[in-house]
Amino acid sequence: MPSSSSTDATTGADPAAEPQTADRYAAFARSPLGRRVVPGLGLPDPVPLRRDTPGAPLAPGPVLVTGLVGTDGHEHVGGAAGVAAAELAAVGADVVRRDALAHVDRLGGLVVDATTAGSPADLVGLVGACTPVLRRLARGAHVVVLGLDPAALPGGATAAARVAQRGLEGFTRSLGKEVGGGRTVQLVLLRGRGVDVVGSTLRFLLSGRSAFVSGQVVRVGDPVHDLPPAEQARGPHPLSGRRAVVTGAARGIGASIARLLVARGAEVVLVDVPAAADALAATARSVGGAPLVLDITSDLAPGRLAEHCERAGGVDVVVHNAGITRDRRLRNMRPDAFAAVLDVNVGAPLRLTEHLLGAGLLGRGGRVVGVSSLAGIAGNDGQTSYAASKAGVIGMVDALAPVAAAAGATVNAVAPGFVETRMTAAVPPLTRQLGRRLASLGQGGLPVDVAEAIAWLAEPASAGVDGQVLRVCGQSLLGA
């Protein structure tokens, strides 16, 4: 049987366990000489990213919540702005409005409610909302634009409204490539009752948890299940009482995912192949989870996993992280190697998920998160099998999200870009440098960046985020 341990470039060894290759360019850019040379030459400026730490505030300063501002100076604010302000205030953020800006030196975040844009001309209000404050954004500040999903506007909506709301995507992706300084820009599109459950998305995108996510579009719609107050957890342990399974968890990104889920309150079962049993046991002890030795490609794997979950009292979160590569150009590819990659990376996750759904083990509040890859979106030289499998993970999301939603569960995926692991440290130096620099943030991500995105999707409060693929790639310039 092929391995089901995470061994590819985006699911490699844990940097905490194995040293990474130093990013010498980043070190130079941060040196006294680099700080003089890099900006003047217009070179990439990979500043240290603001990542989440225990007890850290949501943002590195006050968060401005505003609407579109017309050329007459009038602010057009929709209902989404009020919801955003309330949600941010509930977690202790210092929320300010435009009339209080005179007392603010540096902003830690910016939320622009653009849901009122009903024509292309209204988008000029983005200039009035953003331009006066962009230079006041602190390093590591995050920008979120709120819009309406143009594909879900009511039948009576005008063509002009659809055009305006679609235009927000080009605006935010472009602004993300302008802001620099470790700052990020995202677009959140609301549909149905999405505004009622947008809180978890705002908290993720404005915090250090989304440090390596930029230029992305997140759609928040009707929650797949109701959210009582107890499930709208805003504290440091939003996964408290949840049971999770993470495959390919002996090392690498899988271990990072398991560690973070435990830290957020979940009980975690770590799964990996027999060949990784010793490493799996050690990682499980380290993170405080339980090991399960299982080859996910085995015909018996779906039944065995279901039985284990039933004995443990059920399962709430399943993270399909296990993955392999057998990289060769197609002219040199063996059919058995191609088949192995497909089976581990997408065939087994599909079988496991369908079995758990069919057995009723992933019901109300269930979360399935697959690990795709930027290669599955943009392709990669010598990775036809890997790219096909990771695009297949996106197909799995498309196919199973409606099925899971009927049971009150969500299915999503993350697509990592260049993440610093043992495997990326082994690629040729020029390729490695290109992988780091071909992104708006100008650097590679860390395994924890992938884990943070998965932990957010796993939260009960993320019930309105379904059927989506979030790129964790620093806004890579490939596959945009």
Side-chain angles (χ1 to χ4, degrees), residues 23-39 43-48 139 437 441-443:
D23 188 344
R24 292 188 175 88
Y25 174 82
F28 166 74
R30 297 165 189 168
S31 70
L33 175 61
R35 286 197 293 271
R36 294 197 300 270
V37 171
V38 167
L43 297 173
D45 186 13
V47 304
R139 283 204 167 193
R437 307 308 160 217
L441 293 175
Q443 59 196 286

Side-chain angles (χ1 to χ4, degrees), residues 21 27 37 73 101 115 118 120 122 124 147 173 189 206 208 223 240 268 317 420 425:
T21 299
V37 171
L101 280 177
T115 60
D122 291 340
V124 177
R173 290 193 192 278
L189 294 177
L206 287 167
S240 180
V268 180
V317 180
E420 301 279 0

Side-chain angles (χ1 to χ4, degrees), residues 6 21 111 123 139 150 161 169 202 212 274 288 401:
S6 293
T21 299
V111 178
L123 296 181
R139 283 204 167 193
E169 184 171 342
L202 286 172
F212 199 59

